[in-house]
Amino acid sequence: MSGIYGLSDSAYRQIREAFRRASGIDMPESKRQLVAGRLYCRLKALGLPDYDAYVALLQQPEQAVERQCMVDLLTTNETYFFREPEHFRYLAAQILPTLRQRPVRVWCAAASTGEEPYSLAMLLQDKLGDGGWSLLASDLSTRVLERASQGLYPLQRLELLPPEYLKRFCLRGTGDYEGQLLIRRELRERVRFCQHNLLDSAADLGQFDIIFLRNVLIYFNGATRQQVIQRVLRQLRPGGWLIIGHSESLQGVPSDLQLVRPSIYRLPASAAVVRTDLRGVA
């Protein structure tokens, strides 16, 4: 075995390509140590001698479950409640008052371990009440979706969570769950989690008034980013809103979106959106 953690140049190149095909994300050379470290547990669990053997396993047609496991392990998931809080303030004060149709449909398109969709759910329940909203949360990784559906989190992720929301929507753990919080069942049941690859058509997910697509575009190259945005926009209703991360930009991506303020866009109510299925578009 050679290279970092025994990850050969050839094996790393093939793992990068397999991950890129599955996720659209091109893992740079600088992530080689991270990749080796995260996949090392799979070599041990599967009894494989090296990463070249693991690559050979991934290439077998019947190994779809293992390819998903690879994606789960390599997907970066750093999030916390009410991350980038200005978006939530603007949503409450400026966006929701513009939407008259009920329920307001919201899509959290990079849900990770669930802190973002639950933050949205708390705000929506507070401002719109029962029956006023619906929320779909999707992610590529089945591992993080499983964690999200449980709604159990360490207390360290609460720095930006409003105290009144903590009391209203969360339960503090005791005994074996000391130091953790649980999202109340009534709120958990209002959030629908599903696996979705942003490279695929989202036509079966329906139309939305608000789409949160935050802190995921930075992982795509220009062509893939444009493809993802085009697919997502086909699910945004005219007059709807798209919110991306503060460090992200749609520069160079042609669309009818209007920039309202940095990282917040709106599709004009008069926009004629083409609802074609882009499956297979490179």
Side-chain angles (χ1 to χ4, degrees):
M1 300 175 74
S2 60
I4 300 173
Y5 288 108
L7 178 54
S8 68
D9 293 342
S10 174
Y12 185 51
R13 183 173 60 253
Q14 293 179 80
I15 288 171
R16 288 175 63 183
E17 177 58 22
F19 184 64
R20 187 196 65 78
R21 287 197 304 269
S23 68
I25 299 171
D26 189 3
M27 195 79 71
E29 177 63 33
S30 61
K31 298 294 185 180
R32 183 167 174 169
Q33 185 171 356
L34 179 147
V35 169
R38 291 190 177 182
L39 294 182
Y40 185 73
C41 63
R42 293 306 298 156
L43 269 68
K44 289 296 186 181
L46 296 168
L48 298 175
D50 51 37
Y51 290 94
D52 295 280
Y54 186 66
V55 167
L57 180 71
L58 292 175
Q59 293 173 343
Q60 297 177 18
E62 68 273 16
Q63 290 297 326
V65 172
E66 186 59 38
R67 287 189 289 273
Q68 179 62 52
C69 182
M70 174 200 67
V71 169
D72 289 346
L73 289 171
L74 298 184
T75 303
T76 299
N77 306 107
E78 179 186 358
T79 186
Y80 44 88
F81 289 99
F82 289 90
R83 182 182 184 183
E84 300 182 354
E86 180 57 32
H87 285 156
F88 294 94
R89 288 192 287 267
Y90 194 85
L91 174 62
Q94 304 296 329
I95 295 179
L96 292 181
T98 71
L99 301 172
R100 303 302 180 188
Q101 181 175 321
R102 297 292 184 270
V104 172
R105 293 204 74 218
V106 183
W107 178 18
C108 180
S112 187
T113 47
E115 289 90 337
E116 180 171 292
Y118 285 131
S119 298
L120 284 168
M122 293 177 195
L123 187 148
L124 292 168
Q125 180 63 22
D126 182 36
K127 301 302 179 182
L128 302 180
D130 293 334
W133 59 279
S134 67
L135 175 59
L136 174 69
S138 67
D139 200 275
L140 174 64
S141 171
T142 56
R143 175 176 57 93
V144 298
L145 288 173
E146 182 178 353
R147 290 180 57 191
S149 64
Q150 295 172 352
L152 185 66
Y153 299 98
L155 291 175
Q156 291 89 334
R157 300 189 184 185
L158 306 184
E159 182 178 350
L160 297 176
L161 200 160
E164 63 271 24
Y165 285 2
L166 178 62
K167 294 178 181 178
R168 184 175 172 187
F169 300 116
C170 306
L171 297 170
R172 287 184 179 271
T174 59
D176 292 341
Y177 295 99
E178 185 74 30
Q180 295 181 296
L181 71 84
L182 179 67
I183 304 299
R184 287 185 180 272
R185 179 178 55 81
E186 300 92 320
L187 195 71
R188 294 200 313 271
E189 292 178 346
R190 294 291 306 276
V191 181
R192 175 190 164 205
F193 289 99
C194 74
Q195 184 189 26
H196 176 70
N197 190 329
L198 290 170
L199 298 179
D200 294 337
S201 168
D204 59 337
L205 302 183
Q207 300 292 296
F208 298 90
D209 302 292
I210 303 166
I211 298 176
F212 268 56
L213 184 68
R214 303 196 308 168
N215 304 303
V216 66
L217 296 176
I218 56 175
Y219 297 108
F220 300 125
N221 62 31
T224 304
R225 183 165 58 250
Q226 180 169 328
Q227 178 184 349
V228 167
I229 289 296
Q230 289 176 340
R231 292 184 189 278
V232 168
L233 288 185
R234 276 156 177 77
Q235 309 314 125
L236 187 63
R237 289 172 175 159
W241 299 77
L242 174 69
I243 300 177
I244 63 176
H246 284 310
S247 63
E248 299 173 314
S249 170
L250 299 188
Q251 184 176 0
V253 179
S255 74
D256 292 328
L257 288 171
Q258 296 178 345
L259 178 63
V260 178
R261 58 190 302 168
S263 71
I264 299 178
Y265 298 81
R266 192 176 192 186
L267 189 65
S270 59
V273 183
V274 179
R275 304 297 180 188
T276 55
D277 185 347
L278 288 181
R279 186 179 298 274
V281 175

